[in-house]
Amino acid sequence: MNAADAPHALAVRYAQIVDNREFERMIDIMCADFTQQGPGFSAGSVMEFIAGLAFLENYSATFHLLGQQSGEWEGDVYRGETYCVASHIHEKSGVPHKLDMGIRYSDHIVLDGAHYKYQSRDLNVVYVQDLPLEMSQ
């Protein structure tokens, strides 16, 4: 992947890894010393981040919808922002619910050997909405 495509390609891969529950694959797109900060949590390495994804087992499914991206490269370092709506399917008292989170990721991407990877990806949660869900048949 070239530098121009890296921010979008990494965001897509990140969403696929989470939604497919292939958490161990994060090492393919994150530096070993990857960090993440968000409301009420932080991770100081890719392995700590992967371990923290266990909380997603509380949801029967997730669905990440990517939005716009903006940012700039300075040499082999990219700093930018990715918008996302992350939907989390769960039950409350036997009723299906969908928890939506509007997220703005602050992305820091570097060339790690021959591959572009996340150095950090901090979360800014803009909104949270949890509503009953009608499931398709």
Side-chain angles (χ1 to χ4, degrees):
M1 120 183 45
N2 64 43
D5 296 334
H8 179 72
L10 287 171
V12 167
R13 191 67 189 119
Y14 181 99
Q16 289 173 327
I17 289 169
V18 172
D19 291 344
N20 292 334
R21 301 293 202 268
E22 299 174 331
F23 305 141
E24 68 284 351
R25 303 293 311 267
M26 287 294 182
I27 61 173
D28 298 337
I29 65 168
M30 296 177 169
C31 297
D33 59 349
F34 170 83
T35 63
Q36 186 172 73
Q37 303 293 318
F41 69 91
S42 66
S45 71
V46 67
M47 298 313 291
E48 186 178 349
F49 175 76
I50 290 170
L53 291 174
F55 85 93
L56 290 173
E57 298 303 326
N58 295 318
Y59 303 100
S60 61
T62 57
F63 184 92
H64 287 73
L65 182 63
L66 299 174
Q68 69 270 24
Q69 287 183 302
S70 62
E72 293 185 15
W73 285 98
E74 289 185 25
D76 289 332
V77 177
Y78 172 88
R79 293 190 188 278
E81 190 170 57
T82 300
Y83 284 63
C84 174
V85 175
S87 298
H88 304 74
I89 309 303
H90 65 108
E91 283 193 13
K92 282 185 180 178
S93 303
V95 176
H97 274 68
K98 180 177 70 142
L99 170 69
D100 282 337
M101 299 171 67
I103 299 171
R104 291 171 59 183
Y105 287 103
S106 178
D107 297 329
H108 179 194
I109 298 168
V110 298
L111 187 60
D112 184 36
H115 303 283
Y116 290 102
K117 293 186 175 185
Y118 287 115
Q119 180 70 56
S120 65
R121 190 160 214 232
D122 294 340
L123 268 86
N124 175 22
V125 178
V126 178
Y127 71 86
V128 175
Q129 182 179 43
D130 193 2
L131 296 173
L133 176 66
E134 252 185 64
M135 299 295 287
S136 63
Q137 299 295 333

PDB file of all heavy atoms in Angstrom, residues 14-30 46-47 49-57 62 64:
ATOM      1  N   TYR A  14      -9.077  -1.986  10.143  1.00  0.00           N
ATOM      2  CA  TYR A  14      -9.395  -1.891  11.571  1.00  0.00           C
ATOM      3  C   TYR A  14     -10.866  -2.268  11.803  1.00  0.00           C
ATOM      4  O   TYR A  14     -11.183  -3.098  12.662  1.00  0.00           O
ATOM      5  CB  TYR A  14      -9.117  -0.459  12.038  1.00  0.00           C
ATOM      6  CG  TYR A  14      -9.349  -0.154  13.484  1.00  0.00           C
ATOM      7  CD1 TYR A  14      -8.281  -0.118  14.386  1.00  0.00           C
ATOM      8  CD2 TYR A  14     -10.607   0.170  13.969  1.00  0.00           C
ATOM      9  CE1 TYR A  14      -8.480   0.222  15.720  1.00  0.00           C
ATOM     10  CE2 TYR A  14     -10.813   0.499  15.292  1.00  0.00           C
ATOM     11  CZ  TYR A  14      -9.750   0.524  16.164  1.00  0.00           C
ATOM     12  OH  TYR A  14      -9.953   0.857  17.482  1.00  0.00           O
ATOM     13  N   ALA A  15     -11.773  -1.677  11.016  1.00  0.00           N
ATOM     14  CA  ALA A  15     -13.201  -1.970  11.151  1.00  0.00           C
ATOM     15  C   ALA A  15     -13.492  -3.442  10.873  1.00  0.00           C
ATOM     16  O   ALA A  15     -14.263  -4.079  11.607  1.00  0.00           O
ATOM     17  CB  ALA A  15     -14.004  -1.075  10.212  1.00  0.00           C
ATOM     18  N   GLN A  16     -12.883  -3.996   9.824  1.00  0.00           N
ATOM     19  CA  GLN A  16     -13.094  -5.410   9.498  1.00  0.00           C
ATOM     20  C   GLN A  16     -12.605  -6.317  10.617  1.00  0.00           C
ATOM     21  O   GLN A  16     -13.280  -7.295  10.971  1.00  0.00           O
ATOM     22  CB  GLN A  16     -12.360  -5.772   8.211  1.00  0.00           C
ATOM     23  CG  GLN A  16     -12.968  -5.183   6.969  1.00  0.00           C
ATOM     24  CD  GLN A  16     -12.097  -5.434   5.750  1.00  0.00           C
ATOM     25  OE1 GLN A  16     -10.871  -5.478   5.843  1.00  0.00           O
ATOM     26  NE2 GLN A  16     -12.733  -5.591   4.606  1.00  0.00           N
ATOM     27  N   ILE A  17     -11.444  -6.023  11.151  1.00  0.00           N
ATOM     28  CA  ILE A  17     -10.881  -6.852  12.221  1.00  0.00           C
ATOM     29  C   ILE A  17     -11.809  -6.865  13.429  1.00  0.00           C
ATOM     30  O   ILE A  17     -12.081  -7.926  14.007  1.00  0.00           O
ATOM     31  CB  ILE A  17      -9.466  -6.365  12.600  1.00  0.00           C
ATOM     32  CG1 ILE A  17      -8.483  -6.703  11.478  1.00  0.00           C
ATOM     33  CG2 ILE A  17      -9.019  -6.959  13.928  1.00  0.00           C
ATOM     34  CD1 ILE A  17      -7.118  -6.027  11.625  1.00  0.00           C
ATOM     35  N   VAL A  18     -12.306  -5.693  13.820  1.00  0.00           N
ATOM     36  CA  VAL A  18     -13.204  -5.623  14.971  1.00  0.00           C
ATOM     37  C   VAL A  18     -14.518  -6.337  14.667  1.00  0.00           C
ATOM     38  O   VAL A  18     -14.970  -7.178  15.451  1.00  0.00           O
ATOM     39  CB  VAL A  18     -13.452  -4.160  15.393  1.00  0.00           C
ATOM     40  CG1 VAL A  18     -14.544  -4.081  16.459  1.00  0.00           C
ATOM     41  CG2 VAL A  18     -12.169  -3.532  15.914  1.00  0.00           C
ATOM     42  N   ASP A  19     -15.129  -6.017  13.533  1.00  0.00           N
ATOM     43  CA  ASP A  19     -16.438  -6.594  13.222  1.00  0.00           C
ATOM     44  C   ASP A  19     -16.375  -8.102  12.989  1.00  0.00           C
ATOM     45  O   ASP A  19     -17.344  -8.809  13.273  1.00  0.00           O
ATOM     46  CB  ASP A  19     -17.051  -5.896  12.010  1.00  0.00           C
ATOM     47  CG  ASP A  19     -17.451  -4.455  12.310  1.00  0.00           C
ATOM     48  OD1 ASP A  19     -17.533  -4.081  13.497  1.00  0.00           O
ATOM     49  OD2 ASP A  19     -17.688  -3.702  11.340  1.00  0.00           O
ATOM     50  N   ASN A  20     -15.250  -8.606  12.506  1.00  0.00           N
ATOM     51  CA  ASN A  20     -15.082 -10.049  12.292  1.00  0.00           C
ATOM     52  C   ASN A  20     -14.524 -10.765  13.518  1.00  0.00           C
ATOM     53  O   ASN A  20     -14.303 -11.970  13.480  1.00  0.00           O
ATOM     54  CB  ASN A  20     -14.166 -10.311  11.092  1.00  0.00           C
ATOM     55  CG  ASN A  20     -14.798  -9.903   9.787  1.00  0.00           C
ATOM     56  OD1 ASN A  20     -16.018  -9.869   9.657  1.00  0.00           O
ATOM     57  ND2 ASN A  20     -13.976  -9.576   8.811  1.00  0.00           N
ATOM     58  N   ARG A  21     -14.259 -10.015  14.589  1.00  0.00           N
ATOM     59  CA  ARG A  21     -13.728 -10.576  15.832  1.00  0.00           C
ATOM     60  C   ARG A  21     -12.393 -11.294  15.612  1.00  0.00           C
ATOM     61  O   ARG A  21     -12.137 -12.345  16.175  1.00  0.00           O
ATOM     62  CB  ARG A  21     -14.719 -11.526  16.493  1.00  0.00           C
ATOM     63  CG  ARG A  21     -16.059 -10.938  16.851  1.00  0.00           C
ATOM     64  CD  ARG A  21     -15.923  -9.897  17.960  1.00  0.00           C
ATOM     65  NE  ARG A  21     -17.132  -9.654  18.695  1.00  0.00           N
ATOM     66  CZ  ARG A  21     -18.014  -8.708  18.387  1.00  0.00           C
ATOM     67  NH1 ARG A  21     -17.829  -7.946  17.337  1.00  0.00           N
ATOM     68  NH2 ARG A  21     -19.087  -8.521  19.134  1.00  0.00           N
ATOM     69  N   GLU A  22     -11.538 -10.727  14.784  1.00  0.00           N
ATOM     70  CA  GLU A  22     -10.202 -11.265  14.510  1.00  0.00           C
ATOM     71  C   GLU A  22      -9.153 -10.407  15.221  1.00  0.00           C
ATOM     72  O   GLU A  22      -8.174  -9.967  14.629  1.00  0.00           O
ATOM     73  CB  GLU A  22      -9.940 -11.271  13.001  1.00  0.00           C
ATOM     74  CG  GLU A  22     -10.904 -12.116  12.220  1.00  0.00           C
ATOM     75  CD  GLU A  22     -10.725 -11.985  10.715  1.00  0.00           C
ATOM     76  OE1 GLU A  22     -10.286 -10.919  10.228  1.00  0.00           O
ATOM     77  OE2 GLU A  22     -11.023 -12.971  10.017  1.00  0.00           O
ATOM     78  N   PHE A  23      -9.351 -10.158  16.499  1.00  0.00           N
ATOM     79  CA  PHE A  23      -8.574  -9.180  17.247  1.00  0.00           C
ATOM     80  C   PHE A  23      -7.065  -9.367  17.136  1.00  0.00           C
ATOM     81  O   PHE A  23      -6.313  -8.397  17.091  1.00  0.00           O
ATOM     82  CB  PHE A  23      -8.992  -9.176  18.716  1.00  0.00           C
ATOM     83  CG  PHE A  23     -10.468  -8.956  18.930  1.00  0.00           C
ATOM     84  CD1 PHE A  23     -11.136  -9.655  19.913  1.00  0.00           C
ATOM     85  CD2 PHE A  23     -11.186  -8.063  18.149  1.00  0.00           C
ATOM     86  CE1 PHE A  23     -12.500  -9.461  20.127  1.00  0.00           C
ATOM     87  CE2 PHE A  23     -12.548  -7.864  18.348  1.00  0.00           C
ATOM     88  CZ  PHE A  23     -13.201  -8.573  19.348  1.00  0.00           C
ATOM     89  N   GLU A  24      -6.610 -10.633  17.091  1.00  0.00           N
ATOM     90  CA  GLU A  24      -5.173 -10.894  17.010  1.00  0.00           C
ATOM     91  C   GLU A  24      -4.563 -10.314  15.734  1.00  0.00           C
ATOM     92  O   GLU A  24      -3.352 -10.092  15.668  1.00  0.00           O
ATOM     93  CB  GLU A  24      -4.889 -12.392  17.119  1.00  0.00           C
ATOM     94  CG  GLU A  24      -5.367 -13.228  15.933  1.00  0.00           C
ATOM     95  CD  GLU A  24      -6.872 -13.502  15.867  1.00  0.00           C
ATOM     96  OE1 GLU A  24      -7.599 -13.200  16.834  1.00  0.00           O
ATOM     97  OE2 GLU A  24      -7.306 -14.015  14.822  1.00  0.00           O
ATOM     98  N   ARG A  25      -5.381 -10.033  14.719  1.00  0.00           N
ATOM     99  CA  ARG A  25      -4.892  -9.461  13.455  1.00  0.00           C
ATOM    100  C   ARG A  25      -4.499  -7.991  13.601  1.00  0.00           C
ATOM    101  O   ARG A  25      -3.908  -7.412  12.691  1.00  0.00           O
ATOM    102  CB  ARG A  25      -5.937  -9.604  12.351  1.00  0.00           C
ATOM    103  CG  ARG A  25      -6.409 -11.015  12.051  1.00  0.00           C
ATOM    104  CD  ARG A  25      -5.359 -11.934  11.449  1.00  0.00           C
ATOM    105  NE  ARG A  25      -4.639 -11.385  10.333  1.00  0.00           N
ATOM    106  CZ  ARG A  25      -4.946 -11.522   9.051  1.00  0.00           C
ATOM    107  NH1 ARG A  25      -6.010 -12.196   8.723  1.00  0.00           N
ATOM    108  NH2 ARG A  25      -4.189 -10.998   8.124  1.00  0.00           N
ATOM    109  N   MET A  26      -4.829  -7.375  14.735  1.00  0.00           N
ATOM    110  CA  MET A  26      -4.437  -5.980  14.953  1.00  0.00           C
ATOM    111  C   MET A  26      -2.921  -5.810  14.853  1.00  0.00           C
ATOM    112  O   MET A  26      -2.453  -4.744  14.466  1.00  0.00           O
ATOM    113  CB  MET A  26      -4.937  -5.471  16.309  1.00  0.00           C
ATOM    114  CG  MET A  26      -6.418  -5.228  16.369  1.00  0.00           C
ATOM    115  SD  MET A  26      -6.946  -3.878  15.304  1.00  0.00           S
ATOM    116  CE  MET A  26      -8.694  -3.838  15.674  1.00  0.00           C
ATOM    117  N   ILE A  27      -2.168  -6.857  15.153  1.00  0.00           N
ATOM    118  CA  ILE A  27      -0.708  -6.737  15.054  1.00  0.00           C
ATOM    119  C   ILE A  27      -0.260  -6.486  13.620  1.00  0.00           C
ATOM    120  O   ILE A  27       0.833  -5.972  13.393  1.00  0.00           O
ATOM    121  CB  ILE A  27       0.027  -7.964  15.646  1.00  0.00           C
ATOM    122  CG1 ILE A  27      -0.352  -9.238  14.913  1.00  0.00           C
ATOM    123  CG2 ILE A  27      -0.239  -8.083  17.139  1.00  0.00           C
ATOM    124  CD1 ILE A  27       0.449 -10.449  15.317  1.00  0.00           C
ATOM    125  N   ASP A  28      -1.121  -6.804  12.643  1.00  0.00           N
ATOM    126  CA  ASP A  28      -0.793  -6.551  11.237  1.00  0.00           C
ATOM    127  C   ASP A  28      -0.881  -5.067  10.878  1.00  0.00           C
ATOM    128  O   ASP A  28      -0.269  -4.638   9.896  1.00  0.00           O
ATOM    129  CB  ASP A  28      -1.740  -7.318  10.299  1.00  0.00           C
ATOM    130  CG  ASP A  28      -1.641  -8.821  10.455  1.00  0.00           C
ATOM    131  OD1 ASP A  28      -0.598  -9.313  10.938  1.00  0.00           O
ATOM    132  OD2 ASP A  28      -2.619  -9.508  10.083  1.00  0.00           O
ATOM    133  N   ILE A  29      -1.651  -4.301  11.660  1.00  0.00           N
ATOM    134  CA  ILE A  29      -1.880  -2.899  11.299  1.00  0.00           C
ATOM    135  C   ILE A  29      -1.447  -1.911  12.380  1.00  0.00           C
ATOM    136  O   ILE A  29      -1.632  -0.710  12.214  1.00  0.00           O
ATOM    137  CB  ILE A  29      -3.355  -2.654  10.927  1.00  0.00           C
ATOM    138  CG1 ILE A  29      -4.283  -2.878  12.115  1.00  0.00           C
ATOM    139  CG2 ILE A  29      -3.765  -3.499   9.724  1.00  0.00           C
ATOM    140  CD1 ILE A  29      -5.703  -2.373  11.896  1.00  0.00           C
ATOM    141  N   MET A  30      -0.859  -2.421  13.472  1.00  0.00           N
ATOM    142  CA  MET A  30      -0.437  -1.569  14.582  1.00  0.00           C
ATOM    143  C   MET A  30       1.011  -1.837  14.950  1.00  0.00           C
ATOM    144  O   MET A  30       1.457  -2.987  14.940  1.00  0.00           O
ATOM    145  CB  MET A  30      -1.315  -1.813  15.808  1.00  0.00           C
ATOM    146  CG  MET A  30      -2.741  -1.435  15.604  1.00  0.00           C
ATOM    147  SD  MET A  30      -3.734  -1.836  17.055  1.00  0.00           S
ATOM    148  CE  MET A  30      -5.237  -0.989  16.630  1.00  0.00           C
ATOM    149  N   VAL A  46       0.210  -2.706  21.655  1.00  0.00           N
ATOM    150  CA  VAL A  46      -0.768  -3.408  20.821  1.00  0.00           C
ATOM    151  C   VAL A  46      -1.335  -4.610  21.562  1.00  0.00           C
ATOM    152  O   VAL A  46      -2.530  -4.905  21.452  1.00  0.00           O
ATOM    153  CB  VAL A  46      -0.177  -3.793  19.437  1.00  0.00           C
ATOM    154  CG1 VAL A  46       0.904  -4.842  19.569  1.00  0.00           C
ATOM    155  CG2 VAL A  46      -1.277  -4.287  18.503  1.00  0.00           C
ATOM    156  N   MET A  47      -0.524  -5.308  22.341  1.00  0.00           N
ATOM    157  CA  MET A  47      -1.018  -6.481  23.071  1.00  0.00           C
ATOM    158  C   MET A  47      -2.014  -6.074  24.163  1.00  0.00           C
ATOM    159  O   MET A  47      -3.011  -6.763  24.380  1.00  0.00           O
ATOM    160  CB  MET A  47       0.142  -7.289  23.647  1.00  0.00           C
ATOM    161  CG  MET A  47       1.079  -7.852  22.571  1.00  0.00           C
ATOM    162  SD  MET A  47       0.246  -8.673  21.176  1.00  0.00           S
ATOM    163  CE  MET A  47      -0.412 -10.113  21.982  1.00  0.00           C
ATOM    164  N   PHE A  49      -3.905  -3.424  23.985  1.00  0.00           N
ATOM    165  CA  PHE A  49      -5.084  -3.033  23.228  1.00  0.00           C
ATOM    166  C   PHE A  49      -5.910  -4.259  22.838  1.00  0.00           C
ATOM    167  O   PHE A  49      -7.121  -4.283  23.022  1.00  0.00           O
ATOM    168  CB  PHE A  49      -4.670  -2.240  21.981  1.00  0.00           C
ATOM    169  CG  PHE A  49      -5.823  -1.914  21.084  1.00  0.00           C
ATOM    170  CD1 PHE A  49      -6.717  -0.919  21.404  1.00  0.00           C
ATOM    171  CD2 PHE A  49      -6.015  -2.629  19.913  1.00  0.00           C
ATOM    172  CE1 PHE A  49      -7.797  -0.625  20.579  1.00  0.00           C
ATOM    173  CE2 PHE A  49      -7.085  -2.343  19.076  1.00  0.00           C
ATOM    174  CZ  PHE A  49      -7.976  -1.338  19.417  1.00  0.00           C
ATOM    175  N   ILE A  50      -5.251  -5.284  22.296  1.00  0.00           N
ATOM    176  CA  ILE A  50      -5.949  -6.503  21.889  1.00  0.00           C
ATOM    177  C   ILE A  50      -6.660  -7.134  23.085  1.00  0.00           C
ATOM    178  O   ILE A  50      -7.820  -7.538  22.980  1.00  0.00           O
ATOM    179  CB  ILE A  50      -4.971  -7.487  21.215  1.00  0.00           C
ATOM    180  CG1 ILE A  50      -4.540  -6.940  19.841  1.00  0.00           C
ATOM    181  CG2 ILE A  50      -5.592  -8.870  21.078  1.00  0.00           C
ATOM    182  CD1 ILE A  50      -3.390  -7.692  19.191  1.00  0.00           C
ATOM    183  N   ALA A  51      -5.984  -7.213  24.218  1.00  0.00           N
ATOM    184  CA  ALA A  51      -6.605  -7.783  25.421  1.00  0.00           C
ATOM    185  C   ALA A  51      -7.835  -6.972  25.835  1.00  0.00           C
ATOM    186  O   ALA A  51      -8.849  -7.538  26.270  1.00  0.00           O
ATOM    187  CB  ALA A  51      -5.597  -7.843  26.565  1.00  0.00           C
ATOM    188  N   GLY A  52      -7.767  -5.666  25.667  1.00  0.00           N
ATOM    189  CA  GLY A  52      -8.886  -4.803  26.030  1.00  0.00           C
ATOM    190  C   GLY A  52     -10.113  -4.970  25.149  1.00  0.00           C
ATOM    191  O   GLY A  52     -11.229  -4.602  25.543  1.00  0.00           O
ATOM    192  N   LEU A  53      -9.937  -5.527  23.964  1.00  0.00           N
ATOM    193  CA  LEU A  53     -11.074  -5.723  23.065  1.00  0.00           C
ATOM    194  C   LEU A  53     -12.022  -6.815  23.547  1.00  0.00           C
ATOM    195  O   LEU A  53     -13.113  -6.981  22.992  1.00  0.00           O
ATOM    196  CB  LEU A  53     -10.576  -6.042  21.650  1.00  0.00           C
ATOM    197  CG  LEU A  53      -9.893  -4.877  20.927  1.00  0.00           C
ATOM    198  CD1 LEU A  53      -9.317  -5.349  19.600  1.00  0.00           C
ATOM    199  CD2 LEU A  53     -10.844  -3.706  20.729  1.00  0.00           C
ATOM    200  N   ALA A  54     -11.649  -7.527  24.600  1.00  0.00           N
ATOM    201  CA  ALA A  54     -12.514  -8.579  25.154  1.00  0.00           C
ATOM    202  C   ALA A  54     -13.881  -8.032  25.554  1.00  0.00           C
ATOM    203  O   ALA A  54     -14.874  -8.765  25.519  1.00  0.00           O
ATOM    204  CB  ALA A  54     -11.834  -9.247  26.343  1.00  0.00           C
ATOM    205  N   PHE A  55     -13.964  -6.740  25.875  1.00  0.00           N
ATOM    206  CA  PHE A  55     -15.255  -6.165  26.267  1.00  0.00           C
ATOM    207  C   PHE A  55     -16.291  -6.276  25.142  1.00  0.00           C
ATOM    208  O   PHE A  55     -17.499  -6.270  25.393  1.00  0.00           O
ATOM    209  CB  PHE A  55     -15.099  -4.701  26.708  1.00  0.00           C
ATOM    210  CG  PHE A  55     -15.128  -3.711  25.573  1.00  0.00           C
ATOM    211  CD1 PHE A  55     -16.316  -3.108  25.207  1.00  0.00           C
ATOM    212  CD2 PHE A  55     -13.971  -3.397  24.878  1.00  0.00           C
ATOM    213  CE1 PHE A  55     -16.351  -2.191  24.158  1.00  0.00           C
ATOM    214  CE2 PHE A  55     -13.996  -2.490  23.838  1.00  0.00           C
ATOM    215  CZ  PHE A  55     -15.192  -1.895  23.473  1.00  0.00           C
ATOM    216  N   LEU A  56     -15.829  -6.399  23.903  1.00  0.00           N
ATOM    217  CA  LEU A  56     -16.759  -6.511  22.777  1.00  0.00           C
ATOM    218  C   LEU A  56     -17.542  -7.825  22.786  1.00  0.00           C
ATOM    219  O   LEU A  56     -18.540  -7.953  22.083  1.00  0.00           O
ATOM    220  CB  LEU A  56     -16.022  -6.339  21.452  1.00  0.00           C
ATOM    221  CG  LEU A  56     -15.516  -4.923  21.193  1.00  0.00           C
ATOM    222  CD1 LEU A  56     -14.657  -4.878  19.944  1.00  0.00           C
ATOM    223  CD2 LEU A  56     -16.666  -3.933  21.104  1.00  0.00           C
ATOM    224  N   GLU A  57     -17.108  -8.786  23.600  1.00  0.00           N
ATOM    225  CA  GLU A  57     -17.847 -10.043  23.722  1.00  0.00           C
ATOM    226  C   GLU A  57     -19.220  -9.817  24.365  1.00  0.00           C
ATOM    227  O   GLU A  57     -20.080 -10.692  24.321  1.00  0.00           O
ATOM    228  CB  GLU A  57     -17.039 -11.072  24.512  1.00  0.00           C
ATOM    229  CG  GLU A  57     -15.720 -11.454  23.838  1.00  0.00           C
ATOM    230  CD  GLU A  57     -15.887 -11.992  22.412  1.00  0.00           C
ATOM    231  OE1 GLU A  57     -16.900 -12.663  22.127  1.00  0.00           O
ATOM    232  OE2 GLU A  57     -14.998 -11.721  21.590  1.00  0.00           O
ATOM    233  N   THR A  62     -20.937  -6.197  16.013  1.00  0.00           N
ATOM    234  CA  THR A  62     -20.602  -4.782  15.849  1.00  0.00           C
ATOM    235  C   THR A  62     -20.613  -4.479  14.357  1.00  0.00           C
ATOM    236  O   THR A  62     -20.463  -5.374  13.520  1.00  0.00           O
ATOM    237  CB  THR A  62     -19.227  -4.422  16.441  1.00  0.00           C
ATOM    238  OG1 THR A  62     -18.234  -5.251  15.834  1.00  0.00           O
ATOM    239  CG2 THR A  62     -19.203  -4.591  17.946  1.00  0.00           C
ATOM    240  N   HIS A  64     -19.091  -1.234  12.002  1.00  0.00           N
ATOM    241  CA  HIS A  64     -18.420   0.057  11.900  1.00  0.00           C
ATOM    242  C   HIS A  64     -18.638   0.650  10.513  1.00  0.00           C
ATOM    243  O   HIS A  64     -18.303   0.023   9.511  1.00  0.00           O
ATOM    244  CB  HIS A  64     -16.924  -0.098  12.161  1.00  0.00           C
ATOM    245  CG  HIS A  64     -16.598  -0.343  13.594  1.00  0.00           C
ATOM    246  ND1 HIS A  64     -16.858  -1.543  14.217  1.00  0.00           N
ATOM    247  CD2 HIS A  64     -16.055   0.464  14.535  1.00  0.00           C
ATOM    248  CE1 HIS A  64     -16.472  -1.465  15.486  1.00  0.00           C
ATOM    249  NE2 HIS A  64     -15.986  -0.260  15.705  1.00  0.00           N
TER     250      HIS A  64
END
